[in-house]
């Protein structure tokens, strides 16, 4: 039977098994377009902007899973579907709500969640932690509780499935998580939540993951099926450009790395001596050779630090601030720094890596290892990771003839001392995605409520390395009645929100919020910078401040829980934060009837990455404002305003405290791309 006919049958079956369900037009269009793409194979990628409420999840789940099942019935080569989301809430929704709907409708598939190691409880780590006498009794008690909980099998070991009401969970979790542990020959292997979860992935043909896990899987731990055997769905795919770029960001705090070679490098020396010299396949390294490696590293890092500190001090004088970034643009990396890295540091790290790698390989091949050797092996692996991270950062910093521009900078994030952090990150990452994911995948579906900026897909496609030729495009309107249910207020008389006017602008928001939020229970106020948010809070009277839940004072999860609790009790609650607070925020009905936005969310001009992107845009005869800043601001504005109307029943008010929306030509462009809110200018 044709896939499109099978899809029709599945929608009918859902209508019969799910009370009150009527397929939405958007869902049907989306399913059929995806089915077409999967059948015709004219392109491997489809990019879909599906307005909020159009029913995206079922729209992509039905065709992809049915196609996979159909294919697997007729072929020895088995396909899987990997659905990657940007947040845990959507993963939970898929696993507990949407996928069971398909199972009830008769589709027969195996689901598994693929989460990063750090989200799993490690029993061995927990037992080892209890030996630590430095823990306070509350920590010890929590670890004991977690061990019992996991043993009783009423918890799957995932941090997300713990009731997060223990105030010390966040500080304790890294000590009991499965991040950075060596699982080979672990006595708790059979009862381990991580191992059980990984086995479930091997048996599954529908895997729910997050974007970051897919990126790391492309390069390192292969726990997901190979791309050519996978139909990928990236939900909330507007996050991809940033999350993929972040995954390629190399960063190295010089002081932490240098510690490995300080105090006569006793730890590092002993690891190399003990582990490397166990390896019969590697030539023995004499104490003299090791000492030479250590001296080389110490001297190289000391010289490097001196150069970096000097440059940071110069920048501090210019900026009149301790927290600075020394960015390398026109002249690339400083010549003295390059010389030190190229001539001394990277060759020495390469030698250490070579010795450690061959020794670890040899030890891993041995059938039996004593407890002592196992401990040494773990230390050696951790040392190897540090060396590799440093090597990658230094190599990228000194890379000159790359066709891909790289943002390179030294940061100082400390106010009481100068502690250089070396950073490098590729600016354009689209071609990596195209070559390593889209081209290799069986098929990819990209979807989000917000992809077009200023009315086109251009900016998004450039960022992810696609063109109109290699992806199909589809837009599905939101079914919500924005015109009748939401009013957008723009105050024309407020000071222009630039840096010079920031104080006056902030003061006028303080005045406006009193009237704008007066008749609402639940609200959200968003700032473009922490600086303006802090000033606003300082000047806000206690009458409103008492209702506020402030970002950076509590975890996001707790803030939202407290906000909902207050609304449920009929109390007012105003969430205040920056853009990141609004991402993925889903507070329907009374939980959110007011959304305020301090100003058009242009990017952070002090960010070295944004700065480098603008530099290379100009170099290629582009216009950074038109080509980057405005489309990105448009995307953020649509995302932020989109928090207000989440269901057919939602109603409320938006306020944007930025007169440029009505007084500047680009403001009009931005207004035209927002949903059709009723606009009121006062
Ligand atoms: S198998 Fe690995 S994650 Fe599991 S308990 Fe052992 S060391 Fe921890």
């Amino acid at each position: 039977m044709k896939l499109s006919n099978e899809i029709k049958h599945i929608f009918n079956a859902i209508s019969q098994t799910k009370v009150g369900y009527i397929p939405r037009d958007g869902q049907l269009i989306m399913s059929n377009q995806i089915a077409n793409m999967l059948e015709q194979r004219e392109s491997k990628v489809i990019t879909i902007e599906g307005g909020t409420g159009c029913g995206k999840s079922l729209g992509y789940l039905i065709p992809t899973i049915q196609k996979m099942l159909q294919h697997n019935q007729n072929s020895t080569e088995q396909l899987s579907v990997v659905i990657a989301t940007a947040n845990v809430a959507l993963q939970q929704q898929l696993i507990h709500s949407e996928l069971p709907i398909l199972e009830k409708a008769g589709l027969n598939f195996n689901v598994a969640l693929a989460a990063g190691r750090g989200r799993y409880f490690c029993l061995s780590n927990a037992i080892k932690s209890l030996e630590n006498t430095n823990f306070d009794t509350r920590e010890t008690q929590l670890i004991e509780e977690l061990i019992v909980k996991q043993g009783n099998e009423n918890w799957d070991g995932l941090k997300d499935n713990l009731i997060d009401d223990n105030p010390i969970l966040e500080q304790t979790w890294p000590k009991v998580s499965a991040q950075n542990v060596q699982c080979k020959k672990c006595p708790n292997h059979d009862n381990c939540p991580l191992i059980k979860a990984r086995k479930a992935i091997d048996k599954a043909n529908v895997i729910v993951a997050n974007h970051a896990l897919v990126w790391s899987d492309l390069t390192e731990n292969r726990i997901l099926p190979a791309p050519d055997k996978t139909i990928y769905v990236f939900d909330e795919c507007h996050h991809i450009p940033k999350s993929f770029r972040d995954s390629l960001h190399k960063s190295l705090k010089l002081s932490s790395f240098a510690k490995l070679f300080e105090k006569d490098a006793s730890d590092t020396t002993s690891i190399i001596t003990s582990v490397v010299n166990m390896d019969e396949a590697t030539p023995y390294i004499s104490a003299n050779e090791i000492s030479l490696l250590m001296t080389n590293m110490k001297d190289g890092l000391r010289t490097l630090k001196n150069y970096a500190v000097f440059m940071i001090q110069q920048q501090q004088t210019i900026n009149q601030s301790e927290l600075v970034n020394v960015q390398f643009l026109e002249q690339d990396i400083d010549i003295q720094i390059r010389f030190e890295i190229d001539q001394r540091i990277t060759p020495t790290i390469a030698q250490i890596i070579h010795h450690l790698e061959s020794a670890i390989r040899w030890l891993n091949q041995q059938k039996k290892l004593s407890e002592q050797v196992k401990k040494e092996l773990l230390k050696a692996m951790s040392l190897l990771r540090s060396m590799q991270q440093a090597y990658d950062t230094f190599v990228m910093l000194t890379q000159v003839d790359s066709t891909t521009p790289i943002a390179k900078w030294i940061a100082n994030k400390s106010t009481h001392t100068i502690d250089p952090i070396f950073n490098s990150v590729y600016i354009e990452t689209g071609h990596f995605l195209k070559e390593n994911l889209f081209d290799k995948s069986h098929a990819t579906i990209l979807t989000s409520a917000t992809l077009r900026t200023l009315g086109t897909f251009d900016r998004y496609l450039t960022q992810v390395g696609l063109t109109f030729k290699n992806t199909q495009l589809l837009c599905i309107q939101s079914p919500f009645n924005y015109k009748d249910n939401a009013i957008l207020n723009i105050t024309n008389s407020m000071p222009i929100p630039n840096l010079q006017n920031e104080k006056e602008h902030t003061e006028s928001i303080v005045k406006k919020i009193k009237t704008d939020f007066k008749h609402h229970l639940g609200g959200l106020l968003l700032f473009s910078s922490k600086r303006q948010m802090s000033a606003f809070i300082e000047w806000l009277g206690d009458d409103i401040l008492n209702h506020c839940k402030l970002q950076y004072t509590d975890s996001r999860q707790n803030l939202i829980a407290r906000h909902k609790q207050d609304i449920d009790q009929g109390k007012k609650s105003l969430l205040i934060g920056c853009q990141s607070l609004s991402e993925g925020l889903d507070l329907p009905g009374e939980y959110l009837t007011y959304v305020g936005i301090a100003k058009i969310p242009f990017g952070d001009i002090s960010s070295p990455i944004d700065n480098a992107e603008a530099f290379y845009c100009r170099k290629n005869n582009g216009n950074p404002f038109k080509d980057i800043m405005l489309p990105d601001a448009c995307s953020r504005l649509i995302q932020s305003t989109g928090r207000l109307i989440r269901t057919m029943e939602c109603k409320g008010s938006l306020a944007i405290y930025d007169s440029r929306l009505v007084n500047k030509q680009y403001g009009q462009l931005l207004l035209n791309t927002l949903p059709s809110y009723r606009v009121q200018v006062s």
Side-chain angles (χ1 to χ4, degrees):
M1 198 192 296
K2 265 186 82 179
L3 186 58
S4 50
N5 289 335
E6 289 178 334
I7 288 171
K8 238 184 253 164
H9 283 295
I10 297 167
F11 273 115
N12 284 339
I14 295 176
S15 305
Q16 281 157 22
T17 49
K18 186 170 159 43
V19 181
Y21 175 76
I22 302 168
R24 298 176 207 172
D25 291 347
Q27 272 173 339
L28 297 172
I29 296 169
M30 189 168 171
S31 289
N32 285 325
Q33 281 286 108
I34 294 174
N36 251 342
M37 189 265 289
L38 293 170
E39 298 255 271
Q40 310 288 333
R41 313 283 296 141
E42 278 166 13
S43 72
K44 278 185 169 192
V45 185
I46 183 164
T47 308
I48 305 170
E49 182 182 90
T52 312
C54 75
K56 278 192 297 296
S57 310
L58 285 184
Y60 61 68
L61 288 175
I62 293 173
T64 50
I65 294 179
Q66 184 57 25
K67 174 68 193 175
M68 174 271 292
L69 294 172
Q70 196 190 60
H71 173 98
N72 290 356
Q73 249 178 13
N74 304 318
S75 167
T76 47
E77 276 230 327
Q78 298 293 285
L79 282 181
S80 299
V81 176
V82 170
I83 306 150
T85 75
N87 67 58
V88 174
L90 184 52
Q91 289 174 12
Q92 303 280 356
Q93 188 188 318
L94 286 166
I95 289 180
H96 300 297
S97 308
E98 317 280 359
L99 288 165
I101 295 175
L102 267 63
E103 282 170 330
K104 270 193 202 146
L107 273 75
N108 190 3
F109 53 89
N110 287 326
V111 189
L113 174 76
R117 297 179 69 102
R119 279 164 68 191
Y120 283 98
F121 178 70
C122 167
L123 187 56
S124 296
N125 237 353
I127 294 169
K128 221 183 293 157
S129 298
L130 287 179
E131 292 163 13
N132 190 335
T133 47
N134 291 334
F135 284 2
D136 68 23
T137 44
R138 287 179 317 155
E139 268 196 299
T140 309
Q141 203 179 343
L142 174 61
I143 295 172
E144 283 169 352
E145 276 169 24
L146 293 176
I147 292 175
V148 173
K149 208 174 170 64
Q150 195 242 320
N152 289 345
E153 299 212 333
N154 55 6
W155 173 47
D156 60 4
L158 250 188
K159 180 170 179 273
D160 317 314
N161 292 340
L162 278 175
I163 309 287
D164 184 11
D165 57 358
N166 194 320
I168 56 162
L169 178 65
E170 288 306 321
Q171 82 183 50
T172 310
W173 186 258
K175 297 160 193 160
V176 298
S177 90
Q179 189 74 45
N180 297 332
V181 292
Q182 165 72 346
C183 297
K184 226 176 180 186
K185 303 186 178 102
C186 167
N188 299 306
H189 205 270
D190 292 346
N191 297 322
C192 168
L194 173 75
I195 301 297
K196 284 182 192 165
R198 294 298 187 248
K199 282 184 184 161
I201 293 173
D202 291 341
K203 287 189 197 139
N205 48 16
V206 175
I207 300 161
V208 178
N210 60 49
H211 295 176
L213 190 113
V214 177
W215 310 147
S216 71
D217 202 71
L218 286 177
T219 49
E220 300 162 18
N221 341 303
R222 196 158 279 291
I223 58 169
L224 298 175
D228 61 329
K229 296 187 176 51
T230 304
I231 300 173
Y232 291 98
V233 179
F234 287 91
D235 201 341
E236 298 169 321
C237 70
H238 61 280
H239 286 286
I240 288 182
K242 184 172 182 311
S243 74
F244 186 65
R245 184 155 72 182
D246 286 351
S247 76
L248 301 176
H249 184 164
K250 306 284 176 208
S251 180
L252 185 81
K253 195 175 198 178
L254 208 56
S255 60
S256 310
F257 185 62
K259 264 195 196 129
L260 296 172
F261 306 94
E262 282 164 6
K263 290 190 218 142
D264 294 330
S266 54
D267 276 358
T268 305
T269 306
S270 76
I271 294 168
I272 297 175
T273 312
S274 60
V275 175
V276 171
N277 287 337
M278 280 175 210
D279 177 0
E280 290 168 358
T282 307
Y284 179 85
I285 314 180
S286 68
N288 272 350
E289 282 173 292
I290 295 179
S291 160
L292 191 66
L293 286 177
M294 295 300 119
T295 312
N296 249 336
M297 283 304 293
K298 259 194 290 187
D299 291 350
L301 291 172
R302 197 177 303 126
T303 314
L304 190 63
K305 184 178 174 188
N306 289 342
Y307 288 137
V309 167
F310 175 68
M311 298 182 89
I312 287 171
Q313 280 169 336
Q314 281 185 319
Q315 195 68 44
Q316 285 176 329
T317 313
I318 297 168
N319 288 23
Q320 294 288 299
S321 163
E322 313 275 321
L323 312 177
V324 291
N325 294 311
V326 178
Q327 185 152 18
F328 304 103
L329 285 171
E330 268 124 312
Q331 294 179 343
D332 199 42
I333 191 108
D334 178 83
I335 188 102
Q336 287 159 316
I337 289 183
R338 169 184 299 285
F339 182 82
E340 202 52 45
I341 292 175
D342 277 350
Q343 297 301 311
R344 190 146 49 169
I345 295 177
T346 42
T348 314
I349 301 179
Q351 279 188 58
I352 298 175
I353 288 178
H354 166 75
H355 287 304
L356 285 171
E357 271 180 347
S358 51
I360 289 168
R361 214 174 16 249
W362 182 80
L363 283 170
N364 272 328
Q365 284 162 0
Q366 303 313 300
K367 285 207 176 79
K368 210 163 164 45
L369 294 177
S370 71
E371 282 307 309
Q372 181 55 30
V373 175
K374 270 195 225 165
K375 274 188 194 158
E376 297 295 333
L377 179 61
L378 278 183
K379 283 191 207 162
M381 288 174 76
S382 153
L383 181 63
L384 179 63
R385 269 196 297 274
S386 307
M387 293 294 160
Q388 269 162 345
Q389 191 196 350
Y391 185 81
D392 291 349
T393 311
F394 286 132
V395 165
M396 212 159 137
L397 267 171
T398 50
Q399 203 166 315
V400 269
D401 46 8
S402 166
T403 46
T404 312
I406 300 174
K408 302 169 184 177
W409 72 101
I410 307 172
N412 183 49
K413 293 186 177 171
S414 172
T415 47
H416 55 279
T417 177
I418 294 182
D419 196 359
I421 305 170
F422 286 78
N423 294 276
S424 47
V425 62
Y426 290 109
I427 294 169
E428 291 159 12
T429 51
H431 64 283
F432 287 99
L433 270 174
K434 184 176 173 297
E435 282 163 25
N436 295 304
L437 185 75
F438 303 141
D439 288 353
K440 287 187 181 161
S441 72
H442 181 85
T444 304
I445 291 99
L446 300 169
T447 186
S448 167
T450 320
L451 289 180
R452 285 175 303 162
T453 50
L454 303 173
T456 79
F457 282 98
D458 296 1
R459 169 81 174 140
Y460 184 74
L461 293 186
T462 308
Q463 286 179 307
V464 295
L466 293 170
T467 65
F468 294 99
K469 285 187 190 149
N470 49 29
T471 179
Q472 295 181 30
L473 297 170
L474 175 66
C475 293
I476 295 169
Q477 294 295 321
S478 164
F480 299 156
N481 181 352
Y482 290 102
K483 205 173 171 67
D484 290 342
N485 292 343
I487 184 158
L488 167 58
N489 292 301
I490 302 165
T491 316
N492 199 5
S493 55
M494 288 181 92
I496 294 174
N498 53 25
L499 214 51
Q500 291 85 351
N501 291 336
E502 192 166 281
K503 185 170 177 286
E504 292 76 16
H505 178 245
T506 312
E507 282 170 348
S508 34
I509 303 177
V510 170
K511 279 187 206 144
K512 279 291 288 169
I513 195 86
K514 294 192 175 146
T515 45
D516 288 359
F517 185 54
K518 194 173 176 183
H519 301 294
H520 298 272
L521 266 190
L524 169 71
L525 180 60
L526 296 170
F527 289 89
S528 295
S529 71
K530 254 177 157 180
R531 186 189 55 242
Q532 192 180 18
M533 175 184 152
S534 307
F536 172 83
I537 292 161
E538 210 172 292
W539 297 330
L540 198 63
D542 282 347
D543 50 337
I544 294 195
L545 200 55
N546 290 336
H547 307 305
C548 294
K549 316 280 178 292
L550 309 177
Q551 192 183 15
Y552 312 115
T553 60
D554 200 349
S555 72
R556 187 175 189 271
Q557 198 183 352
N558 286 350
L559 283 177
I560 295 168
R562 283 169 44 214
H563 173 85
K564 284 174 137 180
Q565 198 178 20
D566 278 2
I567 305 293
D568 288 342
Q569 293 171 1
K571 294 183 200 158
K572 284 169 93 72
S573 176
L574 179 64
L575 287 160
I576 299 183
C578 295
Q579 179 77 24
S580 59
L581 178 66
S582 77
E583 276 159 16
L585 195 68
D586 194 15
L587 293 170
E590 282 298 304
Y591 289 126
L592 204 65
T593 56
Y594 158 82
V595 173
I597 296 166
K599 61 180 192 175
I600 300 170
F602 288 118
D604 177 6
I605 46 163
S606 63
S607 144
I609 300 178
D610 289 355
N611 203 13
E613 194 176 12
F615 171 80
Y616 286 105
C617 174
R618 246 178 260 118
K619 211 172 161 189
N620 293 327
N621 300 321
N623 176 336
F625 182 75
K626 235 174 79 214
D627 301 341
I628 302 171
M629 289 173 72
L630 199 55
D632 288 358
C634 176
S635 169
R636 292 186 199 107
L637 202 58
I638 298 173
Q639 281 289 334
S640 303
T641 55
R643 300 306 107 200
L644 185 70
I645 304 293
R646 309 299 299 166
T647 66
M648 293 287 200
E649 291 75 35
C650 288
K651 285 180 194 287
S653 318
L654 292 159
I656 304 179
Y657 303 110
D658 192 332
S659 56
R660 292 174 298 182
L661 270 177
V662 281
N663 294 332
K664 295 277 181 193
Q665 219 174 355
Y666 62 77
Q668 202 56 53
L669 279 176
L670 292 173
L671 274 182
N672 291 345
T673 58
L674 291 178
S676 51
Y677 305 118
R678 246 175 318 133
V679 178
Q680 193 171 288
V681 182
S682 58

